Amino acid sequence: ESEGDLPLGDYSLAAYSPTRTPLAVIVAGAVSNNSQVASQISLVSNRVYRALRNHGYTAETIYFLSNSPEQDADGDGHNDVDAITSADGLRYALQEWLQDFQTEHPSSLLLFMAGVGKNGRFQSRLDEEISAEQLHLWLSNAEAANTIEQSAVILEMNRAGAWIGTSTPATDVISSATSGRPSATVSGTISGTISDRNRIVLTATDA
């Protein structure tokens, strides 16, 4: 797929269990030099934010990383962006921000990343990329340090399948249907690494 082929889908996301605290991190990747892709990244990230707000999440339980310092994603007249997208910003969200929500009740974590993928790396800024190994480490640390009962990762970017390995059944991986091909579910972990917690990964492409 070319950079201009960034998938753009419809989302209906909900916190299904009233016994879990629903937490989410949204990451809008670097504003591409391709204006169409940049517009899609912003549009789909804002759409996911609104979907979460409509299904049990609050502004306090969503951490929004964007390359636009001000973004009123839900149209309430307030800025919804917590920080500029960067590798350090995502590390902070997963390993430090989540610490504020340690409660006696288990939590669920949704991580949504929209942007440009290249060779198993996510373009967080025009001059910076995040590797699958980095993301796996930060997620594993977050899962180990918090009362997170279930984690789900949605990779809305081209070549998202490059982030998925098949070395272990610890993670459920679901790739969406692509041109002329049905969707598929396989077992694996991000970049073939091993997690000791259950994690669901949904990818926009299977390659």
Side-chain angles (χ1 to χ4, degrees):
E1 292 184 358
S2 66
E3 185 178 295
D5 293 326
L6 179 72
L8 181 62
D10 294 321
Y11 297 93
S12 179
L13 305 173
Y16 293 102
S17 173
T19 63
R20 295 178 184 171
T21 301
L23 305 174
V25 176
I26 298 174
V27 185
V31 178
S32 169
N33 292 325
N34 183 320
S35 60
Q36 180 181 1
V37 175
S39 177
Q40 289 179 337
I41 292 172
S42 177
L43 178 64
V44 74
S45 299
N46 289 348
R47 182 181 295 172
V48 168
Y49 186 94
R50 290 193 299 272
L52 293 176
R53 287 299 310 274
N54 289 332
H55 290 88
Y57 294 75
T58 68
E60 290 71 30
T61 60
I62 302 173
Y63 197 86
F64 193 2
L65 291 164
S66 173
N67 276 282
S68 297
E70 294 190 8
Q71 194 88 269
D72 182 12
D74 56 7
D76 65 354
H78 299 286
N79 181 26
D80 297 311
V81 174
D82 292 286
I84 295 294
T85 300
S86 67
D88 190 60
L90 180 54
R91 182 206 59 77
Y92 170 84
L94 294 176
Q95 296 192 174
E96 298 184 46
W97 175 75
L98 286 175
Q99 297 291 331
D100 294 337
F101 296 96
Q102 287 195 19
T103 66
E104 60 184 44
H105 301 294
S107 304
S108 62
L109 171 64
L110 172 66
L111 170 62
F112 179 88
M113 300 176 67
V116 176
K118 296 180 179 178
N119 301 318
R121 305 180 76 85
F122 176 81
Q123 190 171 349
S124 51
R125 302 168 66 94
L126 291 179
D127 59 352
E128 179 187 79
E129 296 175 335
I130 297 172
S131 70
E133 289 81 4
Q134 286 176 298
L135 178 59
H136 176 71
L137 174 63
W138 298 335
L139 277 170
S140 296
N141 288 343
E143 291 162 345
N146 293 272
T147 55
I148 296 174
E149 191 172 86
Q150 179 68 67
S151 297
V153 181
I154 300 177
L155 302 175
E156 182 76 2
M157 59 187 176
N158 50 353
R159 305 197 182 282
W163 288 55
I164 307 303
T166 56
S167 62
T168 171
T171 302
D172 289 329
V173 179
I174 303 173
S175 61
S176 63
T178 55
S179 175
R181 300 174 63 182
S183 61
T185 302
V186 297
S187 293
T189 56
I190 295 176
S191 194
T193 54
I194 297 174
S195 174
D196 59 1
R197 298 291 296 266
N198 290 329
R199 187 184 300 161
I200 298 172
V201 180
L202 297 95
T203 65
T205 64
D206 58 5

